[in-house]
Amino acid sequence: MAQATTFDAKSVTVTVGGVYLTGFSESMVEIEKDEDNYEVKVGAQGDTVRTKINNPLGTITVTLLQTSPQVAYLDKLANTGELVPVSVINAGPPKETVTVSEAFIKKPAARSYGNEAEDREYEFQCMDMLFS
C-alpha cells in the first residue's frame, strides 16, 4: 500500500540576493531549464548520436501579491539589471534545491489595478542553474 505524503507551501523558500521573499501568490514559483540536457540525432541509415547540451541557462518565475514587501526590491533589481544569487528550496518531502550564483530580472512586473489585488510576476534569467 502506498504511503501518503503531504506538500506544504510553507516548506518552500526563495531567496534573492540574500533577501527572503514573502507574500507569494497562488502559483508561487516556477523553475525551468532553457534547454534539454541532451539532444539526439538520427542519421540516414538509422545511426544515432546523443549530444550533451552544456547550456546552464534557466528561468525562474516568481509570482508575488502586489502587497508583498519585496515588490519594490525586485522592481529595483529589474531596473538596475544587477546580478544576484537566487535559491529555491523545498524542504520536502522530497527535499529539492535550485541554486543560481548569477541571475537578473528581465523587466519590472506588469501592473494592473482593479477591484481585486493583482499579482506581480518576475522572470529571472539564470546564468548557471543547478538542480539538486
Side-chain angles (χ1 to χ4, degrees):
M1 182 175 193
Q3 183 179 356
T5 58
T6 302
F7 171 75
D8 183 355
K10 289 185 177 183
S11 296
V12 178
T13 58
V14 180
T15 59
V16 176
V19 174
Y20 282 88
L21 300 187
T22 61
F24 288 99
S25 188
E26 289 184 10
S27 60
M28 288 184 66
V29 62
E30 181 179 330
I31 305 155
E32 185 174 10
K33 278 195 67 166
D34 287 355
E35 275 191 286
D36 294 338
N37 288 337
Y38 294 91
E39 189 174 277
V40 176
K41 183 173 183 174
V42 179
Q45 295 181 331
D47 299 319
T48 59
V49 62
R50 181 177 84 151
T51 303
K52 181 170 176 29
I53 308 299
N54 294 305
N55 182 349
L57 299 180
T59 302
I60 296 176
T61 304
V62 173
T63 307
L64 301 178
L65 297 170
Q66 75 181 44
T67 56
S68 168
Q70 288 76 45
V71 165
Y73 172 65
L74 295 183
D75 282 340
K76 182 187 106 181
L77 290 178
N79 288 328
T80 63
E82 182 181 345
L83 291 168
V84 293
V86 177
S87 71
V88 180
I89 300 171
N90 175 19
K95 182 172 183 180
E96 299 173 313
T97 62
V98 174
T99 55
V100 178
S101 65
E102 290 187 319
F104 63 92
I105 299 176
K106 293 182 179 182
K107 62 182 179 181
R111 298 177 185 183
S112 62
Y113 304 96
N115 64 349
E116 293 183 351
E118 299 291 335
D119 292 342
R120 299 290 185 261
E121 187 174 279
Y122 296 92
E123 192 171 276
F124 290 83
Q125 179 63 64
C126 304
M127 308 306 282
D128 58 348
M129 184 175 280
L130 178 64
F131 287 79
S132 56

mmCIF file of all heavy atoms in Angstrom, residues 67-116:
data_model
loop_
_atom_site.group_PDB
_atom_site.id
_atom_site.type_symbol
_atom_site.label_atom_id
_atom_site.label_comp_id
_atom_site.label_asym_id
_atom_site.label_seq_id
_atom_site.Cartn_x
_atom_site.Cartn_y
_atom_site.Cartn_z
ATOM 1 N N THR A 67 0.945 43.331 -2.755
ATOM 2 C CA THR A 67 1.223 43.880 -1.427
ATOM 3 C C THR A 67 2.465 43.284 -0.769
ATOM 4 O O THR A 67 2.786 43.634 0.366
ATOM 5 C CB THR A 67 0.015 43.649 -0.506
ATOM 6 O OG1 THR A 67 -0.280 42.235 -0.488
ATOM 7 C CG2 THR A 67 -1.203 44.428 -0.984
ATOM 8 N N SER A 68 3.177 42.399 -1.471
ATOM 9 C CA SER A 68 4.388 41.800 -0.906
ATOM 10 C C SER A 68 5.413 42.886 -0.586
ATOM 11 O O SER A 68 5.650 43.785 -1.396
ATOM 12 C CB SER A 68 5.001 40.800 -1.889
ATOM 13 O OG SER A 68 6.311 40.434 -1.466
ATOM 14 N N PRO A 69 6.055 42.803 0.573
ATOM 15 C CA PRO A 69 7.073 43.791 0.924
ATOM 16 C C PRO A 69 8.275 43.789 -0.018
ATOM 17 O O PRO A 69 9.023 44.762 -0.055
ATOM 18 C CB PRO A 69 7.504 43.387 2.334
ATOM 19 C CG PRO A 69 6.465 42.461 2.843
ATOM 20 C CD PRO A 69 5.804 41.855 1.647
ATOM 21 N N GLN A 70 8.470 42.727 -0.786
ATOM 22 C CA GLN A 70 9.636 42.631 -1.662
ATOM 23 C C GLN A 70 9.388 43.131 -3.089
ATOM 24 O O GLN A 70 10.293 43.119 -3.913
ATOM 25 C CB GLN A 70 10.166 41.192 -1.711
ATOM 26 C CG GLN A 70 10.868 40.757 -0.434
ATOM 27 C CD GLN A 70 9.895 40.439 0.672
ATOM 28 O OE1 GLN A 70 8.890 39.767 0.463
ATOM 29 N NE2 GLN A 70 10.183 40.910 1.873
ATOM 30 N N VAL A 71 8.179 43.589 -3.412
ATOM 31 C CA VAL A 71 7.894 44.087 -4.759
ATOM 32 C C VAL A 71 8.825 45.242 -5.120
ATOM 33 O O VAL A 71 9.415 45.274 -6.201
ATOM 34 C CB VAL A 71 6.406 44.486 -4.904
ATOM 35 C CG1 VAL A 71 6.166 45.341 -6.143
ATOM 36 C CG2 VAL A 71 5.529 43.237 -4.955
ATOM 37 N N ALA A 72 9.003 46.183 -4.228
ATOM 38 C CA ALA A 72 9.870 47.340 -4.513
ATOM 39 C C ALA A 72 11.319 46.891 -4.729
ATOM 40 O O ALA A 72 12.014 47.403 -5.623
ATOM 41 C CB ALA A 72 9.788 48.364 -3.386
ATOM 42 N N TYR A 73 11.782 45.932 -3.942
ATOM 43 C CA TYR A 73 13.146 45.411 -4.086
ATOM 44 C C TYR A 73 13.339 44.759 -5.451
ATOM 45 O O TYR A 73 14.333 45.016 -6.143
ATOM 46 C CB TYR A 73 13.431 44.415 -2.952
ATOM 47 C CG TYR A 73 14.725 43.658 -3.092
ATOM 48 C CD1 TYR A 73 15.952 44.313 -3.029
ATOM 49 C CD2 TYR A 73 14.727 42.277 -3.275
ATOM 50 C CE1 TYR A 73 17.145 43.612 -3.158
ATOM 51 C CE2 TYR A 73 15.904 41.568 -3.389
ATOM 52 C CZ TYR A 73 17.115 42.247 -3.332
ATOM 53 O OH TYR A 73 18.298 41.538 -3.455
ATOM 54 N N LEU A 74 12.379 43.924 -5.869
ATOM 55 C CA LEU A 74 12.501 43.248 -7.161
ATOM 56 C C LEU A 74 12.386 44.237 -8.319
ATOM 57 O O LEU A 74 13.082 44.095 -9.329
ATOM 58 C CB LEU A 74 11.463 42.131 -7.278
ATOM 59 C CG LEU A 74 11.621 40.972 -6.288
ATOM 60 C CD1 LEU A 74 10.586 39.888 -6.553
ATOM 61 C CD2 LEU A 74 13.018 40.377 -6.314
ATOM 62 N N ASP A 75 11.535 45.254 -8.181
ATOM 63 C CA ASP A 75 11.458 46.294 -9.217
ATOM 64 C C ASP A 75 12.799 47.014 -9.350
ATOM 65 O O ASP A 75 13.258 47.309 -10.448
ATOM 66 C CB ASP A 75 10.346 47.295 -8.913
ATOM 67 C CG ASP A 75 8.958 46.769 -9.248
ATOM 68 O OD1 ASP A 75 8.853 45.816 -10.058
ATOM 69 O OD2 ASP A 75 7.976 47.306 -8.710
ATOM 70 N N LYS A 76 13.442 47.296 -8.221
ATOM 71 C CA LYS A 76 14.754 47.951 -8.245
ATOM 72 C C LYS A 76 15.784 47.068 -8.962
ATOM 73 O O LYS A 76 16.553 47.548 -9.803
ATOM 74 C CB LYS A 76 15.229 48.258 -6.824
ATOM 75 C CG LYS A 76 16.572 48.987 -6.773
ATOM 76 C CD LYS A 76 17.076 49.125 -5.356
ATOM 77 C CE LYS A 76 18.170 48.162 -5.225
ATOM 78 N NZ LYS A 76 18.915 47.903 -4.147
ATOM 79 N N LEU A 77 15.780 45.779 -8.649
ATOM 80 C CA LEU A 77 16.711 44.853 -9.324
ATOM 81 C C LEU A 77 16.441 44.812 -10.826
ATOM 82 O O LEU A 77 17.370 44.766 -11.628
ATOM 83 C CB LEU A 77 16.597 43.443 -8.738
ATOM 84 C CG LEU A 77 17.121 43.238 -7.322
ATOM 85 C CD1 LEU A 77 16.891 41.786 -6.891
ATOM 86 C CD2 LEU A 77 18.590 43.595 -7.219
ATOM 87 N N ALA A 78 15.170 44.829 -11.208
ATOM 88 C CA ALA A 78 14.816 44.801 -12.630
ATOM 89 C C ALA A 78 15.313 46.060 -13.328
ATOM 90 O O ALA A 78 15.812 45.997 -14.459
ATOM 91 C CB ALA A 78 13.309 44.657 -12.800
ATOM 92 N N ASN A 79 15.197 47.190 -12.669
ATOM 93 C CA ASN A 79 15.614 48.452 -13.280
ATOM 94 C C ASN A 79 17.124 48.612 -13.371
ATOM 95 O O ASN A 79 17.625 49.241 -14.300
ATOM 96 C CB ASN A 79 15.004 49.631 -12.516
ATOM 97 C CG ASN A 79 13.511 49.749 -12.762
ATOM 98 O OD1 ASN A 79 13.024 49.426 -13.841
ATOM 99 N ND2 ASN A 79 12.786 50.191 -11.753
ATOM 100 N N THR A 80 17.856 48.036 -12.426
ATOM 101 C CA THR A 80 19.319 48.178 -12.432
ATOM 102 C C THR A 80 20.017 47.072 -13.211
ATOM 103 O O THR A 80 21.157 47.247 -13.625
ATOM 104 C CB THR A 80 19.874 48.182 -10.999
ATOM 105 O OG1 THR A 80 19.600 46.919 -10.381
ATOM 106 C CG2 THR A 80 19.291 49.314 -10.182
ATOM 107 N N GLY A 81 19.353 45.916 -13.377
ATOM 108 C CA GLY A 81 19.984 44.792 -14.054
ATOM 109 C C GLY A 81 21.045 44.108 -13.213
ATOM 110 O O GLY A 81 21.855 43.327 -13.722
ATOM 111 N N GLU A 82 21.039 44.366 -11.911
ATOM 112 C CA GLU A 82 22.041 43.794 -11.005
ATOM 113 C C GLU A 82 22.002 42.265 -11.026
ATOM 114 O O GLU A 82 20.927 41.665 -11.009
ATOM 115 C CB GLU A 82 21.783 44.303 -9.586
ATOM 116 C CG GLU A 82 22.784 43.828 -8.567
ATOM 117 C CD GLU A 82 22.481 44.350 -7.167
ATOM 118 O OE1 GLU A 82 21.675 45.290 -7.027
ATOM 119 O OE2 GLU A 82 23.066 43.811 -6.219
ATOM 120 N N LEU A 83 23.183 41.641 -11.056
ATOM 121 C CA LEU A 83 23.294 40.190 -10.962
ATOM 122 C C LEU A 83 23.279 39.783 -9.495
ATOM 123 O O LEU A 83 24.061 40.318 -8.691
ATOM 124 C CB LEU A 83 24.582 39.699 -11.620
ATOM 125 C CG LEU A 83 24.625 39.826 -13.139
ATOM 126 C CD1 LEU A 83 26.036 39.598 -13.648
ATOM 127 C CD2 LEU A 83 23.663 38.841 -13.786
ATOM 128 N N VAL A 84 22.399 38.857 -9.139
ATOM 129 C CA VAL A 84 22.248 38.420 -7.753
ATOM 130 C C VAL A 84 22.151 36.897 -7.692
ATOM 131 O O VAL A 84 21.722 36.255 -8.647
ATOM 132 C CB VAL A 84 20.989 39.034 -7.100
ATOM 133 C CG1 VAL A 84 21.117 40.535 -6.936
ATOM 134 C CG2 VAL A 84 19.743 38.681 -7.894
ATOM 135 N N PRO A 85 22.536 36.301 -6.553
ATOM 136 C CA PRO A 85 22.294 34.871 -6.366
ATOM 137 C C PRO A 85 20.826 34.621 -6.036
ATOM 138 O O PRO A 85 20.173 35.464 -5.417
ATOM 139 C CB PRO A 85 23.198 34.504 -5.185
ATOM 140 C CG PRO A 85 23.375 35.776 -4.437
ATOM 141 C CD PRO A 85 23.289 36.883 -5.451
ATOM 142 N N VAL A 86 20.325 33.468 -6.477
ATOM 143 C CA VAL A 86 18.938 33.079 -6.209
ATOM 144 C C VAL A 86 18.946 31.627 -5.752
ATOM 145 O O VAL A 86 19.671 30.803 -6.317
ATOM 146 C CB VAL A 86 18.052 33.213 -7.471
ATOM 147 C CG1 VAL A 86 16.632 32.745 -7.192
ATOM 148 C CG2 VAL A 86 18.054 34.641 -7.990
ATOM 149 N N SER A 87 18.147 31.312 -4.749
ATOM 150 C CA SER A 87 17.971 29.916 -4.366
ATOM 151 C C SER A 87 16.501 29.644 -4.090
ATOM 152 O O SER A 87 15.780 30.505 -3.581
ATOM 153 C CB SER A 87 18.815 29.550 -3.138
ATOM 154 O OG SER A 87 18.306 30.151 -1.983
ATOM 155 N N VAL A 88 16.086 28.452 -4.478
ATOM 156 C CA VAL A 88 14.733 27.973 -4.206
ATOM 157 C C VAL A 88 14.891 26.629 -3.518
ATOM 158 O O VAL A 88 15.537 25.727 -4.060
ATOM 159 C CB VAL A 88 13.904 27.813 -5.501
ATOM 160 C CG1 VAL A 88 12.500 27.307 -5.175
ATOM 161 C CG2 VAL A 88 13.849 29.111 -6.283
ATOM 162 N N ILE A 89 14.343 26.513 -2.328
ATOM 163 C CA ILE A 89 14.483 25.278 -1.551
ATOM 164 C C ILE A 89 13.101 24.793 -1.136
ATOM 165 O O ILE A 89 12.319 25.555 -0.543
ATOM 166 C CB ILE A 89 15.349 25.497 -0.294
ATOM 167 C CG1 ILE A 89 16.752 25.959 -0.697
ATOM 168 C CG2 ILE A 89 15.409 24.228 0.552
ATOM 169 C CD1 ILE A 89 17.613 26.412 0.462
ATOM 170 N N ASN A 90 12.810 23.549 -1.484
ATOM 171 C CA ASN A 90 11.625 22.860 -0.972
ATOM 172 C C ASN A 90 12.133 21.897 0.085
ATOM 173 O O ASN A 90 12.837 20.939 -0.246
ATOM 174 C CB ASN A 90 10.893 22.118 -2.094
ATOM 175 C CG ASN A 90 9.741 21.300 -1.567
ATOM 176 O OD1 ASN A 90 9.252 21.517 -0.466
ATOM 177 N ND2 ASN A 90 9.298 20.327 -2.355
ATOM 178 N N ALA A 91 11.801 22.139 1.354
ATOM 179 C CA ALA A 91 12.280 21.307 2.450
ATOM 180 C C ALA A 91 11.690 19.905 2.416
ATOM 181 O O ALA A 91 12.105 19.035 3.156
ATOM 182 C CB ALA A 91 11.999 21.980 3.787
ATOM 183 N N GLY A 92 10.702 19.700 1.544
ATOM 184 C CA GLY A 92 10.215 18.354 1.263
ATOM 185 C C GLY A 92 9.082 17.886 2.142
ATOM 186 O O GLY A 92 8.552 18.645 2.915
ATOM 187 N N PRO A 93 8.768 16.629 2.006
ATOM 188 C CA PRO A 93 9.454 15.647 1.173
ATOM 189 C C PRO A 93 9.030 15.728 -0.291
ATOM 190 O O PRO A 93 7.897 16.100 -0.523
ATOM 191 C CB PRO A 93 9.030 14.314 1.774
ATOM 192 C CG PRO A 93 7.675 14.568 2.378
ATOM 193 C CD PRO A 93 7.673 16.029 2.781
ATOM 194 N N PRO A 94 9.885 15.393 -1.236
ATOM 195 C CA PRO A 94 11.329 15.209 -1.081
ATOM 196 C C PRO A 94 12.015 16.568 -1.060
ATOM 197 O O PRO A 94 11.487 17.552 -1.598
ATOM 198 C CB PRO A 94 11.711 14.436 -2.332
ATOM 199 C CG PRO A 94 10.769 14.941 -3.375
ATOM 200 C CD PRO A 94 9.472 15.183 -2.638
ATOM 201 N N LYS A 95 13.201 16.629 -0.466
ATOM 202 C CA LYS A 95 13.946 17.891 -0.446
ATOM 203 C C LYS A 95 14.495 18.151 -1.842
ATOM 204 O O LYS A 95 15.105 17.289 -2.461
ATOM 205 C CB LYS A 95 15.087 17.851 0.560
ATOM 206 C CG LYS A 95 15.813 19.182 0.614
ATOM 207 C CD LYS A 95 16.820 19.287 1.717
ATOM 208 C CE LYS A 95 17.397 20.693 1.675
ATOM 209 N NZ LYS A 95 18.382 20.912 2.704
ATOM 210 N N GLU A 96 14.243 19.363 -2.334
ATOM 211 C CA GLU A 96 14.718 19.772 -3.658
ATOM 212 C C GLU A 96 15.304 21.172 -3.550
ATOM 213 O O GLU A 96 14.740 22.021 -2.857
ATOM 214 C CB GLU A 96 13.568 19.805 -4.665
ATOM 215 C CG GLU A 96 12.889 18.470 -4.865
ATOM 216 C CD GLU A 96 11.659 18.576 -5.747
ATOM 217 O OE1 GLU A 96 10.842 19.493 -5.516
ATOM 218 O OE2 GLU A 96 11.522 17.748 -6.649
ATOM 219 N N THR A 97 16.412 21.395 -4.241
ATOM 220 C CA THR A 97 17.005 22.728 -4.248
ATOM 221 C C THR A 97 17.395 23.128 -5.663
ATOM 222 O O THR A 97 17.758 22.291 -6.483
ATOM 223 C CB THR A 97 18.258 22.815 -3.360
ATOM 224 O OG1 THR A 97 19.251 21.927 -3.870
ATOM 225 C CG2 THR A 97 17.957 22.455 -1.926
ATOM 226 N N VAL A 98 17.292 24.417 -5.927
ATOM 227 C CA VAL A 98 17.794 25.008 -7.158
ATOM 228 C C VAL A 98 18.620 26.212 -6.724
ATOM 229 O O VAL A 98 18.141 27.058 -5.962
ATOM 230 C CB VAL A 98 16.659 25.451 -8.104
ATOM 231 C CG1 VAL A 98 17.212 26.198 -9.299
ATOM 232 C CG2 VAL A 98 15.847 24.256 -8.547
ATOM 233 N N THR A 99 19.869 26.252 -7.182
ATOM 234 C CA THR A 99 20.734 27.365 -6.825
ATOM 235 C C THR A 99 21.288 28.011 -8.083
ATOM 236 O O THR A 99 21.541 27.348 -9.085
ATOM 237 C CB THR A 99 21.906 26.908 -5.934
ATOM 238 O OG1 THR A 99 22.607 25.850 -6.585
ATOM 239 C CG2 THR A 99 21.412 26.438 -4.585
ATOM 240 N N VAL A 100 21.451 29.323 -7.989
ATOM 241 C CA VAL A 100 21.961 30.118 -9.096
ATOM 242 C C VAL A 100 22.901 31.153 -8.480
ATOM 243 O O VAL A 100 22.514 31.851 -7.539
ATOM 244 C CB VAL A 100 20.810 30.834 -9.837
ATOM 245 C CG1 VAL A 100 21.334 31.691 -10.963
ATOM 246 C CG2 VAL A 100 19.783 29.840 -10.335
ATOM 247 N N SER A 101 24.122 31.265 -8.997
ATOM 248 C CA SER A 101 25.037 32.267 -8.429
ATOM 249 C C SER A 101 24.874 33.625 -9.097
ATOM 250 O O SER A 101 25.200 34.649 -8.499
ATOM 251 C CB SER A 101 26.487 31.792 -8.506
ATOM 252 O OG SER A 101 26.897 31.678 -9.846
ATOM 253 N N GLU A 102 24.365 33.648 -10.330
ATOM 254 C CA GLU A 102 24.151 34.910 -11.027
ATOM 255 C C GLU A 102 22.839 34.866 -11.805
ATOM 256 O O GLU A 102 22.658 34.015 -12.674
ATOM 257 C CB GLU A 102 25.287 35.207 -12.002
ATOM 258 C CG GLU A 102 26.602 35.550 -11.343
ATOM 259 C CD GLU A 102 27.638 35.997 -12.353
ATOM 260 O OE1 GLU A 102 27.710 35.391 -13.444
ATOM 261 O OE2 GLU A 102 28.352 36.956 -12.049
ATOM 262 N N ALA A 103 21.963 35.808 -11.488
ATOM 263 C CA ALA A 103 20.686 35.938 -12.201
ATOM 264 C C ALA A 103 20.299 37.408 -12.231
ATOM 265 O O ALA A 103 20.725 38.189 -11.384
ATOM 266 C CB ALA A 103 19.598 35.126 -11.505
ATOM 267 N N PHE A 104 19.492 37.757 -13.230
ATOM 268 C CA PHE A 104 18.954 39.111 -13.285
ATOM 269 C C PHE A 104 17.490 39.041 -13.680
ATOM 270 O O PHE A 104 17.046 38.084 -14.313
ATOM 271 C CB PHE A 104 19.746 40.004 -14.259
ATOM 272 C CG PHE A 104 19.689 39.557 -15.694
ATOM 273 C CD1 PHE A 104 18.715 40.051 -16.557
ATOM 274 C CD2 PHE A 104 20.601 38.636 -16.189
ATOM 275 C CE1 PHE A 104 18.660 39.638 -17.880
ATOM 276 C CE2 PHE A 104 20.554 38.217 -17.511
ATOM 277 C CZ PHE A 104 19.586 38.719 -18.356
ATOM 278 N N ILE A 105 16.736 40.066 -13.287
ATOM 279 C CA ILE A 105 15.316 40.132 -13.624
ATOM 280 C C ILE A 105 15.196 40.806 -14.985
ATOM 281 O O ILE A 105 15.745 41.881 -15.208
ATOM 282 C CB ILE A 105 14.522 40.894 -12.556
ATOM 283 C CG1 ILE A 105 14.650 40.162 -11.213
ATOM 284 C CG2 ILE A 105 13.055 41.027 -12.966
ATOM 285 C CD1 ILE A 105 13.982 40.872 -10.059
ATOM 286 N N LYS A 106 14.487 40.149 -15.902
ATOM 287 C CA LYS A 106 14.395 40.622 -17.284
ATOM 288 C C LYS A 106 13.721 41.981 -17.421
ATOM 289 O O LYS A 106 14.122 42.798 -18.251
ATOM 290 C CB LYS A 106 13.665 39.597 -18.150
ATOM 291 C CG LYS A 106 14.437 38.303 -18.323
ATOM 292 C CD LYS A 106 13.689 37.345 -19.225
ATOM 293 C CE LYS A 106 14.455 36.062 -19.434
ATOM 294 N NZ LYS A 106 13.744 35.167 -20.347
ATOM 295 N N LYS A 107 12.675 42.233 -16.628
ATOM 296 C CA LYS A 107 11.957 43.513 -16.704
ATOM 297 C C LYS A 107 11.083 43.644 -15.466
ATOM 298 O O LYS A 107 10.766 42.642 -14.814
ATOM 299 C CB LYS A 107 11.103 43.604 -17.969
ATOM 300 C CG LYS A 107 10.008 42.554 -18.040
ATOM 301 C CD LYS A 107 9.228 42.652 -19.330
ATOM 302 C CE LYS A 107 8.160 41.565 -19.379
ATOM 303 N NZ LYS A 107 7.392 41.612 -20.613
ATOM 304 N N PRO A 108 10.676 44.868 -15.127
ATOM 305 C CA PRO A 108 9.758 45.019 -13.995
ATOM 306 C C PRO A 108 8.438 44.287 -14.267
ATOM 307 O O PRO A 108 8.062 44.068 -15.420
ATOM 308 C CB PRO A 108 9.526 46.535 -13.917
ATOM 309 C CG PRO A 108 10.690 47.142 -14.617
ATOM 310 C CD PRO A 108 11.079 46.159 -15.694
ATOM 311 N N ALA A 109 7.754 43.936 -13.199
ATOM 312 C CA ALA A 109 6.479 43.224 -13.329
ATOM 313 C C ALA A 109 5.430 44.131 -13.966
ATOM 314 O O ALA A 109 5.400 45.334 -13.731
ATOM 315 C CB ALA A 109 5.999 42.766 -11.958
ATOM 316 N N ALA A 110 4.568 43.517 -14.776
ATOM 317 C CA ALA A 110 3.418 44.242 -15.326
ATOM 318 C C ALA A 110 2.496 44.612 -14.167
ATOM 319 O O ALA A 110 2.402 43.885 -13.176
ATOM 320 C CB ALA A 110 2.683 43.374 -16.338
ATOM 321 N N ARG A 111 1.840 45.733 -14.312
ATOM 322 C CA ARG A 111 0.945 46.197 -13.248
ATOM 323 C C ARG A 111 -0.456 46.402 -13.798
ATOM 324 O O ARG A 111 -0.624 46.924 -14.894
ATOM 325 C CB ARG A 111 1.451 47.512 -12.676
ATOM 326 C CG ARG A 111 2.808 47.394 -12.037
ATOM 327 C CD ARG A 111 3.306 48.722 -11.542
ATOM 328 N NE ARG A 111 4.676 48.564 -11.050
ATOM 329 C CZ ARG A 111 5.368 49.534 -10.502
ATOM 330 N NH1 ARG A 111 4.823 50.738 -10.375
ATOM 331 N NH2 ARG A 111 6.589 49.330 -10.084
ATOM 332 N N SER A 112 -1.432 45.971 -13.025
ATOM 333 C CA SER A 112 -2.819 46.288 -13.340
ATOM 334 C C SER A 112 -3.536 46.524 -12.022
ATOM 335 O O SER A 112 -3.163 45.975 -10.980
ATOM 336 C CB SER A 112 -3.474 45.154 -14.145
ATOM 337 O OG SER A 112 -3.499 43.967 -13.395
ATOM 338 N N TYR A 113 -4.546 47.365 -12.087
ATOM 339 C CA TYR A 113 -5.283 47.740 -10.885
ATOM 340 C C TYR A 113 -6.770 47.591 -11.167
ATOM 341 O O TYR A 113 -7.239 47.951 -12.242
ATOM 342 C CB TYR A 113 -4.968 49.192 -10.489
ATOM 343 C CG TYR A 113 -3.481 49.430 -10.297
ATOM 344 C CD1 TYR A 113 -2.711 49.958 -11.320
ATOM 345 C CD2 TYR A 113 -2.853 49.096 -9.104
ATOM 346 C CE1 TYR A 113 -1.355 50.170 -11.154
ATOM 347 C CE2 TYR A 113 -1.501 49.299 -8.927
ATOM 348 C CZ TYR A 113 -0.749 49.837 -9.951
ATOM 349 O OH TYR A 113 0.600 50.030 -9.792
ATOM 350 N N GLY A 114 -7.482 47.037 -10.211
ATOM 351 C CA GLY A 114 -8.919 46.843 -10.381
ATOM 352 C C GLY A 114 -9.586 46.674 -9.035
ATOM 353 O O GLY A 114 -9.101 47.171 -8.025
ATOM 354 N N ASN A 115 -10.655 45.894 -9.011
ATOM 355 C CA ASN A 115 -11.403 45.720 -7.772
ATOM 356 C C ASN A 115 -10.822 44.627 -6.873
ATOM 357 O O ASN A 115 -11.360 44.371 -5.807
ATOM 358 C CB ASN A 115 -12.886 45.455 -8.063
ATOM 359 C CG ASN A 115 -13.102 44.158 -8.809
ATOM 360 O OD1 ASN A 115 -12.152 43.545 -9.293
ATOM 361 N ND2 ASN A 115 -14.358 43.747 -8.927
ATOM 362 N N GLU A 116 -9.733 43.983 -7.311
ATOM 363 C CA GLU A 116 -9.050 42.967 -6.510
ATOM 364 C C GLU A 116 -7.552 43.217 -6.552
ATOM 365 O O GLU A 116 -7.040 43.818 -7.499
ATOM 366 C CB GLU A 116 -9.293 41.560 -7.081
ATOM 367 C CG GLU A 116 -10.706 41.065 -6.983
ATOM 368 C CD GLU A 116 -10.828 39.635 -7.515
ATOM 369 O OE1 GLU A 116 -9.865 39.115 -8.109
ATOM 370 O OE2 GLU A 116 -11.892 39.059 -7.330
#
